[in-house]
């Protein structure tokens, strides 16, 4: 191999796209090495500014998408030694939403622009000269909503390898930058950009995002090294070495192995485990009178135990679920379900404050279900992730629905204590099952208090960096608000005329919630086809219409029952679409935290819905309450359509491509 540290001294170097970002850094380093640098760009103002900052360079306006402009630019250059082409553009958006104008602009700039630059410069390059094409990481790694940009970047890689053969002895190489801090990202709000850079730094081995000078140094090496051609070099801090961009979990065993793909039986077992964990929250409700009689207390005096369970669950979502991103999930789940088994076994012996404390602890550890869901999503291949999440969430729905029947039957046949002892045995079985079916993970660095604080703090940067997650959190909150409005108001409506139902009949109406399980399954399958937005829009429209109709026709049991079935179906369909979307935004190393963020917003929306139902019921009864549910569904639908319209308008204006080169 022959290299010369001073080989650029006096060399003629042309940099297309050299007025900002990576191109500007290349021009600066080449000029500092003694090269005669010519910089081309679409922006005359940027060229003037670049000429002020880099001494001795020559500039010229060129639009790489216009062949006449490219030909005229190179007509003024007699010969050159090296050509660097790095015009930047991005088309960001789902394959269903990204505008064709944005797609064409990205392809014209990246593919046509680089080809035209080589076409009109190639014959002027000396035999010992070289060409370096700049590409982005999308196209060599998988990113959601970047399919058009990925196609362009991958095309640059293939073009470079072919040109290395076609133009020999002129050397042709491609440099692929990772996430580089350039003006290309200025379309993001400052806090969102900072959050994105922070998360990228955490996920790469070098622990930071790239700078333009990092890429420029590699480009200059390729210009000088006469033995390298046809290469595609990644300058991304080691990001390409991470599977799917996942963060390493280092320890004595080395980086974590990719999770074992989940088979059908594994998915069904995980769904059952989720259902049994969630059931712990609801066993008490149907047997409250029996427990109160056994303790010689009134049922009303035990409602604090019900509330304690819910408060414990809320705290667990915030404090325990994020741990799934920092510790071995299998060990975490073992600890949670084992503790749940012990608490369930102790409840029949407790009374007073101890009883309330045990139910609080039971709620706290029952968040095991929300640790299982991201684990299942991580074990599923991308093309089946929606179906897997839908199946697991079906287990959650059925667990919450059937546990009341289980508790009532066991209490009637045996005793209320047998309900908790039986549930304790089931939890032990779940623990054994999870140990057998979940893949082990290598040893990880013990989590310190400071590390835990950083983990919880990263929840906020997660929201800043990914607007799609914020959007889906809003949809989820409004959807669950509609759900709690329904189930807070329905019992109040059923004790009125013409129904005058008792508790048993009202409880039987709850079986209509099985429609939610069907909604979860169907939504998961549609999500795998990229139809999350369509499913969400249809679901929110169905919620809106159902509430509107039943607000005036609640005296018909058929209409009321149909509305309950359809609203449950729609809420769960939207819920699964939301979860599938947010899981797709992050790697497996962040799915526990995204679950925390989403489910916390989800439950806050539900709490707001039930809190508003009471005053509205007191003011106007069923009609006013039903209109609240209608407003929640309509609000979610309008937000969804508004976000889609804004995104389409932004991409059509090329707001995703912020530099003019």
């Amino acid at each position: 191999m022959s290299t010369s540290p001073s080989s650029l001294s006096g060399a003629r170097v042309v940099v297309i796209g050299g007025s900002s970002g990576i191109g500007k850094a290349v021009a600066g380093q080449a000029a500092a090495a003694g090269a005669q640098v010519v910089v081309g760009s679409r922006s005359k103002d940027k060229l003037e500014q670049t000429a002020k900052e880099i001494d001795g360079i020559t500039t010229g306006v060129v639009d790489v998408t216009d062949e006449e402009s490219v030909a005229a630019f190179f007509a003024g250059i007699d010969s050159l030694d090296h050509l660097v082409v790095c015009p930047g553009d991005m088309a960001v958006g789902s394959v269903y939403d990204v505008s064709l104008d944005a797609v064409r602009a990205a392809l014209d700039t990246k593919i046509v622009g680089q080809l035209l630059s080589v076409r009109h410069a190639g014959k002027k390059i000396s035999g010992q000269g070289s060409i370096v094409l700049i590409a982005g990481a999308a196209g060599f790694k998988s990113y959601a909503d970047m399919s058009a940009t990925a196609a362009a970047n991958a095309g640059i890689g293939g073009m470079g390898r072919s040109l290395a053969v076609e133009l020999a002895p002129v050397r042709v190489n491609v440099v692929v930058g990772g996430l580089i801090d350039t003006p290309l990202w200025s379309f993001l709000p400052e806090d969102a950009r900072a959050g994105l850079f922070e998360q990228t730094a955490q996920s790469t081995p070098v622990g930071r995002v790239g700078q333009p000078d990092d890429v420029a140094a590699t480009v200059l090496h390729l210009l000088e090294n006469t033995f390298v051609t046809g290469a595609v070099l990644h300058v991304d801090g080691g990001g390409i070495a991470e599977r799917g961009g996942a963060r390493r979990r280092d320890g004595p065993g080395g980086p974590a192995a990719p999770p074992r793909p989940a088979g059908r039986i594994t998915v069904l077992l995980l769904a059952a485990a989720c259902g049994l964990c969630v059931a712990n929250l609801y066993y008490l409700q149907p047997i409250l009178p029996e427990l109160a009689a056994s303790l010689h207390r009134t049922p009303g005096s035990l409602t604090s135990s019900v509330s304690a369970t819910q408060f414990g669950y809320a705290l667990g979502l915030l404090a325990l679920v994020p741990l799934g991103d920092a510790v071995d999930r299998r060990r975490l789940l073992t600890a949670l379900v084992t503790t749940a088994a012990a608490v369930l076994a102790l409840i029949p012996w407790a009374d007073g404050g101890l009883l309330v404390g045990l139910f609080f602890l039971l709620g706290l550890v029952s968040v095991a279900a929300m640790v299982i869901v991201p684990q299942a999503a991580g074990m599923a291949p991308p093309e089946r992730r929606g179906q897997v999440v839908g199946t697991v969430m079906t287990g959650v729905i059925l667990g919450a629905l059937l546990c009341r029947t289980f508790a009532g039957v066991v209490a009637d046949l045996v005793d209320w204590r047998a309900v908790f002892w039986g549930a304790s045995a089931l939890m032990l079985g779940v623990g054994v099952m999870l140990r057998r079916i979940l893949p082990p993970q290598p040893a990880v660095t013990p989590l310190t208090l400071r590390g835990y604080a950083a983990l919880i703090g990263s929840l906020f940067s997660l929201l800043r960096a990914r607007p799609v997650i914020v959007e889906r959190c809003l949809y989820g909150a409004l959807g669950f608000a509609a759900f709690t409005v329904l189930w807070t108001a329905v019992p109040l409506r059923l004790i009125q005329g013409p129904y005058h139902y008792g508790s048993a009949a009202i409880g039987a109406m709850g079986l209509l919630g099985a429609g939610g399980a069907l909604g979860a399954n169907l939504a998961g399958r549609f999500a795998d086809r990229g139809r999350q937005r369509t499913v969400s829009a249809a679901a929110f429209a169905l919620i809106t219409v159902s509430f509107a109709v039943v607000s005036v026709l609640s005296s018909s049991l058929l209409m009321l029952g149909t509305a309950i079935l359809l609203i449950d179906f729609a809420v769960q369909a939207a819920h699964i679409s939301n979860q599938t979307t947010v899981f797709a935004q992050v790697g497996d190393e962040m799915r526990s935290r995204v679950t925390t963020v989403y489910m916390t917003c989800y439950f806050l929306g539900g709490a707001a819905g039930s809190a508003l139902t009471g005053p509205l019921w007191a003011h106007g009864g069923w009609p006013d309450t039903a209109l609240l549910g209608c407003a929640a569904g309509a609000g979610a639908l309008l937000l969804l359509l508004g976000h889609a319209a804004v995104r389409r308008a932004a991409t059509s204006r090329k707001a995703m491509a912020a530099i003019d080169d």
Side-chain angles (χ1 to χ4, degrees):
M1 180 175 70
S2 173
T3 61
S4 172
S6 60
S7 62
L8 288 181
S9 180
R12 293 152 297 182
V13 178
V14 175
V15 184
I16 302 297
S19 65
S20 67
I22 294 170
K24 187 174 182 179
V26 171
Q29 290 191 19
Q36 302 173 27
V37 179
V38 179
V39 173
S41 168
R42 281 193 299 221
S43 172
K44 183 178 180 181
D45 292 341
K46 286 187 176 183
L47 285 171
E48 291 175 353
Q49 182 62 34
T50 301
K52 293 177 182 178
E53 296 176 9
I54 305 175
D55 293 334
I57 66 170
T58 303
T59 63
V61 175
V62 60
D63 180 355
V64 295
T65 65
D66 181 351
E67 185 164 14
E68 290 185 2
S69 175
V70 176
F73 176 83
F74 283 104
I77 300 173
D78 294 331
S79 62
L80 65 149
D81 297 300
H82 305 288
L83 172 68
V84 181
V85 192
C86 51
D89 207 336
M90 285 198 300
V92 181
S94 147
V95 68
Y96 300 105
D97 299 322
V98 65
S99 74
L100 288 180
D101 287 342
V103 172
R104 291 188 180 105
L107 294 175
D108 282 349
T109 301
K110 285 180 169 287
I111 298 294
V112 177
Q114 302 221 25
L115 186 146
L116 290 178
S117 297
V118 174
R119 170 183 289 178
H120 290 279
K123 293 182 179 180
K124 300 184 177 188
I125 299 175
S126 64
Q128 293 298 310
S130 69
I131 298 171
V132 176
L133 309 179
I134 306 296
F140 300 89
K141 289 174 62 176
S142 299
Y143 294 95
D145 297 333
M146 293 283 280
S147 55
T149 302
N153 286 326
I156 294 170
M159 184 193 307
R161 287 188 290 266
S162 295
L163 289 174
V165 176
E166 181 179 340
L167 302 183
V170 173
R171 294 172 290 107
V172 183
N173 295 290
V174 177
V175 172
V176 181
L179 194 154
I180 309 298
D181 187 0
T182 72
L184 189 65
W185 298 100
S186 62
F187 70 89
L188 286 174
E190 185 176 350
D191 57 349
R193 188 165 62 251
L196 174 62
F197 287 1
E198 177 187 345
Q199 290 165 18
T200 301
Q202 293 175 356
S203 68
T204 55
V206 300
R208 66 177 178 86
V209 298
Q211 297 298 319
D213 280 334
D214 296 321
V215 181
T218 301
V219 172
L220 260 66
H221 168 72
L222 291 174
L223 299 184
E224 294 178 317
N225 193 317
T226 60
F227 198 66
V228 180
T229 190
V232 178
L233 269 64
H234 294 268
V235 185
D236 58 1
I240 194 66
E242 300 291 340
R243 183 179 183 272
R247 183 179 181 178
R248 295 181 304 167
R249 298 185 179 216
D250 290 334
R260 180 193 316 157
R264 179 172 176 78
I265 298 300
T266 298
V267 173
L268 291 176
L269 290 174
L270 292 175
C274 278
L276 289 171
C277 290
V278 168
N280 293 335
L281 302 173
Y282 304 107
Y283 288 130
L284 176 60
Q285 293 177 2
I287 61 174
L288 196 62
E290 287 87 347
L291 191 153
S294 174
L295 298 176
H296 306 292
R297 297 169 62 181
T298 63
S301 67
L302 293 180
T303 55
S304 58
S305 295
V306 178
S307 301
T309 309
Q310 300 301 321
F311 281 122
Y313 190 77
L315 179 61
L317 280 175
L318 282 172
L320 297 182
V321 172
L323 289 173
D325 288 340
V327 302
D328 185 339
R329 284 190 188 136
R330 189 170 73 157
R331 292 184 178 181
L332 176 61
L333 285 168
T334 300
L336 291 174
V337 298
T338 302
T339 304
V343 171
L344 287 163
L346 290 173
I347 283 175
W349 307 102
D351 194 2
L354 177 60
L355 184 65
V356 174
L358 286 174
F359 274 109
F360 176 83
L361 184 57
L362 181 63
L364 186 73
V365 297
S366 292
V367 295
M370 293 300 108
V371 178
I372 294 172
V373 173
Q375 174 67 32
M379 294 172 66
E383 68 275 8
R384 289 186 57 235
R385 185 166 293 138
Q387 181 182 347
V388 168
V389 172
T391 300
V392 172
M393 290 305 297
T394 297
V396 171
I397 297 165
L398 292 178
L401 184 68
L402 299 178
C403 67
R404 296 175 176 87
T405 304
F406 167 81
V409 170
V410 172
D412 283 345
L413 294 178
V414 187
D415 179 66
W416 68 267
R417 296 173 181 83
V419 174
F420 294 103
W421 288 332
S424 176
L426 289 171
M427 282 294 98
L428 290 175
V430 167
V432 173
M433 177 185 70
L434 291 175
R435 293 287 296 180
R436 290 182 62 87
I437 67 174
L438 294 183
Q441 293 177 324
V444 297
T445 303
L447 186 66
T448 63
L449 183 60
R450 178 177 295 181
Y452 177 72
L455 185 73
I456 300 301
S458 68
L459 297 175
F460 302 101
S461 61
L462 184 67
L463 288 173
R464 289 196 304 268
R466 291 175 171 82
V468 171
I469 295 178
V470 177
E471 294 171 10
R472 288 290 167 171
C473 285
L474 290 173
Y475 306 156
L478 288 168
F480 197 49
F483 181 86
T484 57
V485 167
L486 176 73
W487 285 108
T488 303
V490 161
L492 300 176
R493 180 67 185 90
L494 290 176
I495 62 175
Q496 296 178 329
Y499 303 110
H500 304 292
Y501 283 176
S503 57
I506 292 173
M509 291 290 286
L511 294 175
L512 292 172
L518 178 60
N521 244 320
L522 289 177
R525 294 178 185 276
F526 276 103
D528 288 335
R529 301 172 189 170
R531 299 290 185 181
Q532 294 98 318
R533 184 167 292 139
T534 302
V535 171
S536 299
F540 294 136
L542 189 57
I543 292 170
T544 304
V545 172
S546 298
F547 266 117
V549 171
V550 82
S551 67
V552 295
L553 296 176
S554 65
S555 295
S556 166
L557 181 61
L558 176 62
M559 294 303 298
L560 183 60
T562 301
I564 291 172
L565 183 65
L566 292 178
I567 292 169
D568 265 18
F569 174 91
V571 167
Q572 295 304 329
H575 182 42
I576 298 306
S577 294
N578 291 336
Q579 286 187 302
T580 305
T581 301
V582 299
F583 285 151
Q585 300 299 308
V586 297
D588 185 56
E589 79 286 353
M590 297 183 71
R591 289 202 175 104
S592 290
R593 278 171 286 174
V594 84
T595 298
T596 289
V597 169
Y598 174 75
M599 292 303 298
T600 298
C601 294
Y602 191 73
F603 274 97
L604 286 174
S610 58
L612 291 172
T613 299
L616 278 175
W617 182 270
H619 178 267
W622 173 263
D624 283 11
T625 305
L627 289 178
L628 174 62
C630 182
L637 180 59
L638 289 174
L639 278 175
L640 177 71
L641 297 177
H643 288 145
V646 168
R647 191 170 286 115
R648 281 196 297 270
T651 54
S652 66
R653 293 193 306 265
K654 298 177 61 178
M656 298 303 182
I659 65 175
D660 296 320
D661 298 332

